[in-house]
């Protein structure tokens, strides 16, 4: 009587490298899609919109001499953001531009890199405050 090893009765097929790569790639792709979905869902929440507002404020404030303050982001879409109570403040204090509502088209990839690029904006209820600074210059000049 001959004894046959068990492994030969149930041979296990060997995966090719391509099959293994495709399985790993599929898992990575599903994780990325899931993470993107969670990120988009979070950005639609109040805390996500507050985070985005602070990120935009920081990005713009680095590019000007004054400061940008966003009261709230009211809507977030693939096209851009809508905000309310937007204020540009002079370096020494005091509002220079006050905007009730703004719809801003945003290029998202540059914003992720720390640069706000907006090819189009629509503003409702804006006010520009022209004041003389300490040395006789307009505060809008020293802010922007």
């Amino acid at each position: 009587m001959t004894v046959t090893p068990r492994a030969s009765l149930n041979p296990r097929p060997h995966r090719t490298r391509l099959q293994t790569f495709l399985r790993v790639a599929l898992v990575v792709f599903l994780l990325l899609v899931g993470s993107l979905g969670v990120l988009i869902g979070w950005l639609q929440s109040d805390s996500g919109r507050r985070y985005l507002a602070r990120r935009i404020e920081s990005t713009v404030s680095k590019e000007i001499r004054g400061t940008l303050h966003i009261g709230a982001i009211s809507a977030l879409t693939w096209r851009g953001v809508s905000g309310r109570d937007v204020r540009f403040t002079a370096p020494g204090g005091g509002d220079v531009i006050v905007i009730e509502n703004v719809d801003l088209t945003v290029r998202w990839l540059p914003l992720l890199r720390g640069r706000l690029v907006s090819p189009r904006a629509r503003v409702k209820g804006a006010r520009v405050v022209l004041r003389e600074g300490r040395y006789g210059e307009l505060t809008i000049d020293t802010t922007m």
Side-chain angles (χ1 to χ4, degrees):
M1 172 169 191
T2 313
V3 179
T4 312
R6 243 181 128 87
S8 66
L9 294 177
N10 294 324
R12 199 164 181 206
H14 295 287
R15 288 190 185 136
T16 65
R17 285 189 174 141
L18 179 61
Q19 287 173 327
T20 303
F21 172 77
L22 290 175
R23 286 178 191 245
V24 169
L26 178 63
V27 168
V28 169
F29 176 74
L30 292 175
L31 284 172
L32 286 174
V33 168
S35 298
L36 184 62
V38 168
L39 177 65
I40 290 170
W42 175 69
L43 284 174
Q44 294 296 334
S45 72
D46 288 339
S47 65
R49 288 191 304 234
R50 278 194 304 272
Y51 170 81
L52 185 61
R54 301 302 79 87
R55 175 80 187 212
I56 292 172
E57 286 174 348
S58 172
T59 300
V60 171
S61 294
K62 287 177 186 172
E63 297 295 320
I64 62 175
R65 288 175 282 200
T67 309
L68 170 66
H69 303 281
I70 300 172
I73 289 182
S74 51
L76 178 63
T77 65
W78 288 107
R79 181 184 57 79
V81 297
S82 296
R84 62 179 185 271
D85 190 26
V86 177
R87 299 171 182 274
F88 288 90
T89 306
D95 292 333
V96 175
I97 300 173
V98 179
I99 303 169
E100 287 179 24
N101 294 295
V102 62
D103 292 320
L104 197 64
T105 302
V106 175
R107 302 271 163 95
W108 294 108
L109 286 178
L111 184 62
L112 292 175
R113 294 182 193 122
R115 209 168 144 243
L116 179 66
V117 177
S118 176
R120 190 174 313 120
R122 188 173 61 215
V123 174
K124 180 181 176 193
R127 177 172 45 104
V128 177
V129 180
L130 297 176
R131 244 186 301 224
E132 256 187 62
R134 233 182 276 166
Y135 304 106
E137 77 285 357
L138 290 175
T139 54
I140 195 165
D141 284 336
T142 58
T143 303
M144 302 298 174

